[in-house]
Amino acid sequence: RPYVASHGGELVYAGFSNGVVYVYLRGACERCSAMNVTLRFGIERIVRRGCADVDRVELASDPAASC
């Protein structure tokens, strides 16, 4: 979270199911072209290193975005 926050973004935990951690990326991260790189090679790598039950990290769909 500190890295994401240092770039004007926010990482929010949304849930866990069947080996997948779901997160929201907010703030500057929502519009960043490097969002997927940050998700895969930053956030997912760190989470998987710390928790053997996690297979991957995915973006959660934001119900507020569909309004």
Side-chain angles (χ1 to χ4, degrees), residues 9-32:
E10 180 182 15
L11 175 68
V12 180
Y13 173 78
F16 177 78
S17 178
N18 298 320
V20 181
V21 172
Y22 294 94
V23 298
Y24 298 112
L25 287 173
R26 307 217 191 238
C29 291
E30 291 176 294
R31 299 172 302 281
C32 180

Side-chain angles (χ1 to χ4, degrees), residues 1 4 9-17 19-27 29-30 35-48 54 56-63:
R1 288 179 65 163
V4 172
E10 180 182 15
L11 175 68
V12 180
Y13 173 78
F16 177 78
S17 178
V20 181
V21 172
Y22 294 94
V23 298
Y24 298 112
L25 287 173
R26 307 217 191 238
C29 291
E30 291 176 294
M35 177 178 61
N36 289 321
V37 173
T38 299
L39 185 66
R40 293 283 164 249
F41 298 107
I43 298 164
E44 183 175 271
R45 182 177 55 88
I46 292 167
V47 171
R48 289 183 67 202
V54 174
R56 67 184 191 275
V57 176
E58 296 286 336
L59 289 176
S61 8
D62 190 346

